[in-house]
């Protein structure tokens, strides 16, 4: 089979233990800029309580991840598989489907002439 017609091979995964793990309480921002998907994750911190007042909550950026749109689609598919697994194990309930779901990755607003 000529090299031009061979399907691309899957990359070999290499674990790098020195890469730090990042904890996040949630996703603060999700943005599609027309090329990449940008995720900004946060952790929550609280001030000490002051009398009867509830403690002030703070959200600090814990990580930013920028992915190609292809990588983001792979991630979305894996998250859907995880959701199905969690539903099957009754960890979460199914999410109701609506007729017109809101876009997950909104396109950026474009200025005059189609430029951002």
């Amino acid at each position: 089979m000529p090299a031009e017609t061979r399907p691309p091979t899957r990359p070999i995964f290499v674990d790098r233990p020195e890469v730090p793990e990042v904890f996040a309480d949630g996703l603060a921002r999700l943005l599609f800029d027309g090329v990449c998907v940008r995720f900004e994750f946060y952790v929550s911190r609280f001030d000490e309580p002051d009398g009867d007042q509830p403690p002030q909550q703070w959200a600090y950026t814990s990580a930013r991840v920028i992915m190609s749109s292809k990588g983001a689609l792979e991630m979305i598919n894996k998250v859907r598989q995880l959701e199905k697994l969690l539903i099957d194990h009754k960890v979460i309930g199914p999410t109701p489907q609506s007729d017109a779901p809101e876009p997950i990755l909104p396109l950026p607003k474009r200025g005059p002439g189609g430029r951002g």
Side-chain angles (χ1 to χ4, degrees), residues 33-111:
D33 65 9
V35 177
C36 293
V37 179
R38 299 170 185 272
F39 303 86
E40 186 170 349
F41 297 91
Y42 71 92
V43 292
S44 296
R45 299 286 184 258
F46 296 89
D47 287 342
E48 290 293 323
D50 185 18
D52 293 342
Q53 297 298 318
Q56 175 67 47
Q57 180 179 1
W58 300 86
Y60 290 91
T61 300
S62 62
R64 291 184 183 99
V65 176
I66 294 103
M67 299 178 80
S68 68
S69 53
K70 179 183 174 194
L73 287 174
E74 288 177 15
M75 188 192 73
I76 289 168
N77 288 332
K78 290 191 182 284
V79 168
R80 286 181 179 151
Q81 292 170 5
L82 175 62
E83 179 186 35
K84 183 181 180 327
L85 181 72
L86 293 173
I87 291 169
D88 290 348
H89 285 86
K90 301 191 184 330
V91 175
I92 63 172
T95 27
Q97 299 293 324
S98 69
D99 293 335
E102 292 189 30
I104 296 173
L105 307 172
L107 293 173
K109 295 187 188 315
R110 302 233 176 233

Side-chain angles (χ1 to χ4, degrees), residues 13-22:
F13 180 77
V14 179
D15 183 23
R16 294 183 45 215
E18 72 275 12
V19 174
E21 292 183 5
V22 175

